[in-house]
Amino acid sequence: MDYTVPYMKRLTNKHIVLGVTGSIAAYKSADLVRKLKTAGAEVHVIMTKGATEFITPLTMQAVSGNEVHQSLLDEKAEAGMGHIQLARWADLVLIAPASADCLSRLVLGRGDDLLGAVCLASTSPLAVAPAMNQAMWKDPATQENVAKLKTRGIHILGPAEGEQACGDTGPGRMLEPDDLVTEVEGLFESGILSGVKVMVTAGPTQEDIDPVRFISNRSSGKMGYALAQAAVEAGAEVILVSGPTSLPIPDRTRRIDIRSAREMHDAVHAEIKDIDIFIGAAAVADYRPIEAEAGKIKKDSDTLTLQMTKTEDILASVAGLKDRPYMVGFAAETDNLEANALKKLNAKQLDMIAANRVGEDPTGGTLGFESDENALSVFWQDGNKELSRMPKSQLARILVELIARRYKSEHNIIRPESFG
Ligand code: PMT
């Protein structure tokens, strides 16, 4: 294990849209942004008109490092990160402070300002941290609104009790930024895999040609690391067997560093005994040079021929074990995605396969490899599910939930619910 690599923080890779509404507690939102960022999150701030009476957009821009979003009808902003893009980008929409007016607007589903429109357009969790005078909080209208929001699955964080800016004492204070960060961290934890041991492989392998050269591929490790993080958040104990990447170790994950396919094979088999779920997201080299040269190959001839041999098939070797874990493989395909994925599902005797299109993205950049986003077609023996393009962190959470449900249904722990 390489202890020089920093651990990922609890909110690493999390995209948070922070809505700030008109309340005196808005002055604490700057500190909240700072603390969310310290915990690893990336934050985009939306301010309502009322919020700008209490704290300036410039302050929020300075602490978030991103331009503050204020208007739904701003051509320039919509051309940059418009409201639909913001809604899609968010792993969580957090409104802190959420005024009494904001709560009632959410109940009505108003979409006539940017924050309301993003809340309507986002499919990610929504959490609100109410902040208002204690009498306003206790008012039956507010209480009814809160009850309605709860029935819609909106998370209500706080409020706290105590002395208020207006001189009253009672419930209605916004939770302190530290407490909000803890609450937000908790929102990403599902517990669906608690007590389950998961092994994830990630990143590329490097196959030596000589002491200074190797054959490798473009895997960054992002997909596998996001899966490891998502499995941790689902409560699993996670071992991440990783090829060389520049990524920090996901929080609460045991990482084993390897370079070659052979090293990955050996590391996986050394630790596989108690593993319940195996997820092979690594881009393992299919071939290695038959023998790495002992000395640096000289540039004496115009051409060079390398004799290659097949590497160990790690996935198939684990699937072939007598006491095998629940097996999830990946398929990286440039064409015939479904047919090739199903072929691998059966040939390697997997329980599930997640297929992604790889290569050049017609809209620019690369698909699958290196990119921050991905899309997956997931297949298992009697079902399939399409996961559309989204950030790898979000995709990983959905895939881990799907794996957990299939795993548990096959072990008669729960029914697969809507995923079947
Ligand atoms: O790392 P990123 O930049 O985020 O990119 C993510 C990814 C594209 C690498 C990832 O989403 C992915 O598709 N990983 C699998 C890549 C791959 O090697 O696919 P494959 O179709 O060649 O292999 C099929 C499966 O067999 C994979 O689960 C692979 O881990 C496994 N395999 C392959 C060869 C081998 N010798 N041993 C294996 O276990």
Side-chain angles (χ1 to χ4, degrees):
M1 168 117 51
D2 182 0
Y3 288 102
T4 59
V5 180
Y7 267 78
M8 269 192 195
K9 295 162 196 139
R10 305 273 290 239
L11 295 179
T12 298
N13 293 333
K14 303 296 180 297
H15 293 173
I16 297 178
V17 167
L18 175 67
V20 184
T21 68
S23 157
I24 179 62
Y27 80 91
K28 291 186 189 168
S29 302
D31 192 30
L32 176 59
V33 171
R34 216 177 44 81
K35 289 192 160 126
L36 288 169
K37 288 192 68 179
T38 306
E42 196 183 329
V43 183
H44 271 273
V45 177
I46 297 176
M47 294 180 79
T48 63
K49 201 161 176 314
T52 60
E53 305 287 338
F54 292 95
I55 185 164
T56 69
L58 193 60
T59 304
M60 300 307 283
Q61 178 177 314
V63 286
S64 68
N66 288 314
E67 200 169 323
V68 169
H69 309 263
Q70 296 182 69
S71 170
L72 184 57
L73 304 172
D74 178 343
E75 266 177 41
K76 200 177 123 234
E78 282 291 305
M81 201 182 209
H83 68 284
I84 298 295
Q85 263 174 302
L86 257 180
R88 284 197 189 131
W89 177 86
D91 292 322
L92 171 74
V93 179
L94 167 67
I95 308 182
S99 63
D101 178 58
C102 165
L103 300 183
S104 81
R105 294 172 70 83
L106 286 174
V107 168
L108 292 172
R110 295 276 293 262
D112 56 354
D113 71 358
L114 180 60
L115 184 56
V118 167
C119 289
L120 288 177
S122 174
T123 53
S124 293
L126 170 61
V128 297
M132 66 199 74
N133 164 270
Q134 54 85 24
M136 290 172 80
W137 172 252
K138 286 179 191 160
D139 189 276
T142 305
Q143 288 305 308
E144 246 175 62
N145 286 339
V146 169
K148 277 188 191 151
L149 294 177
K150 277 186 186 162
T151 63
R152 290 183 203 162
I154 294 171
H155 303 276
I156 312 289
L157 311 181
E161 286 208 35
E163 205 178 312
Q164 302 199 302
C166 55
D168 282 5
T169 303
R173 281 168 61 101
M174 186 173 89
L175 287 186
E176 292 303 322
D178 278 327
D179 298 330
L180 280 174
V181 172
T182 306
E183 293 280 347
V184 166
E185 286 172 349
L187 292 178
F188 286 104
E189 320 238 320
S190 74
I192 192 170
L193 285 179
S194 60
V196 174
K197 290 189 178 154
V198 175
M199 181 182 279
V200 180
T201 66
T205 64
Q206 295 177 349
E207 311 301 328
D208 286 340
I209 298 171
D210 68 16
V212 294
R213 303 183 181 96
F214 56 79
I215 294 173
S216 189
N217 60 63
R218 295 167 74 164
S219 170
S220 62
K222 287 177 191 169
M223 193 67 242
Y225 277 53
L227 285 161
Q229 182 71 42
V232 165
E233 284 166 11
E237 195 181 306
V238 179
I239 297 179
L240 174 63
V241 183
S242 173
T245 77
S246 56
L247 300 174
I249 302 170
D251 187 28
R252 292 168 285 162
T253 298
R254 194 174 138 224
R255 191 176 82 171
I256 301 171
D257 293 326
I258 56 86
R259 276 192 65 235
S260 64
R262 184 177 285 149
E263 282 176 20
M264 184 172 273
H265 172 272
D266 293 351
V268 163
H269 281 276
E271 300 284 343
I272 201 70
K273 200 169 147 285
D274 298 324
I275 297 296
D276 301 301
I277 298 175
F278 181 89
I279 308 175
V284 186
D286 290 321
Y287 293 90
R288 75 164 74 84
I290 287 184
E291 200 140 7
E293 294 294 329
K296 185 181 167 206
I297 299 172
K298 294 273 174 263
K299 204 172 62 177
D300 293 334
S301 59
D302 289 341
T303 58
L304 175 70
T305 304
L306 284 175
Q307 281 279 355
M308 311 273 277
T309 182
K310 266 197 172 157
T311 56
E312 301 73 9
D313 191 318
I314 300 164
L315 211 49
S317 70
V318 176
L321 293 174
K322 197 165 143 276
D323 233 353
R324 65 183 232 159
Y326 185 84
M327 295 298 301
V328 182
F330 266 71
E333 307 293 341
T334 50
D335 40 35
N336 298 330
L337 192 75
E338 179 169 347
N340 286 329
L342 290 175
K343 214 158 133 192
K344 282 176 187 167
L345 179 74
N346 293 321
K348 300 196 186 207
Q349 295 185 41
L350 306 175
D351 296 297
M352 183 184 277
I353 194 151
N356 42 196
R357 215 168 276 290
V358 295
E360 235 171 78
D361 183 348
T363 62
T366 52
L367 282 172
F369 284 89
E370 292 174 314
S371 57
D372 289 331
E373 294 187 342
N374 202 7
L376 294 171
S377 302
V378 189
F379 302 93
W380 56 98
Q381 287 306 341
D382 54 359
N384 69 292
K385 192 171 171 69
E386 287 297 316
L387 304 180
S388 61
R389 186 170 174 161
M390 64 184 98
K392 283 179 177 171
S393 54
Q394 275 177 30
L395 199 59
R397 252 175 263 135
I398 297 173
L399 182 58
V400 161
E401 167 131 10
L402 177 56
I403 293 169
R405 291 196 179 280
R406 298 302 318 162
Y407 163 74
K408 290 192 168 189
S409 84
E410 292 200 7
H411 290 74
N412 293 322
I413 305 170
I414 54 163
R415 286 191 298 134
E417 292 179 10
S418 56
F419 284 105

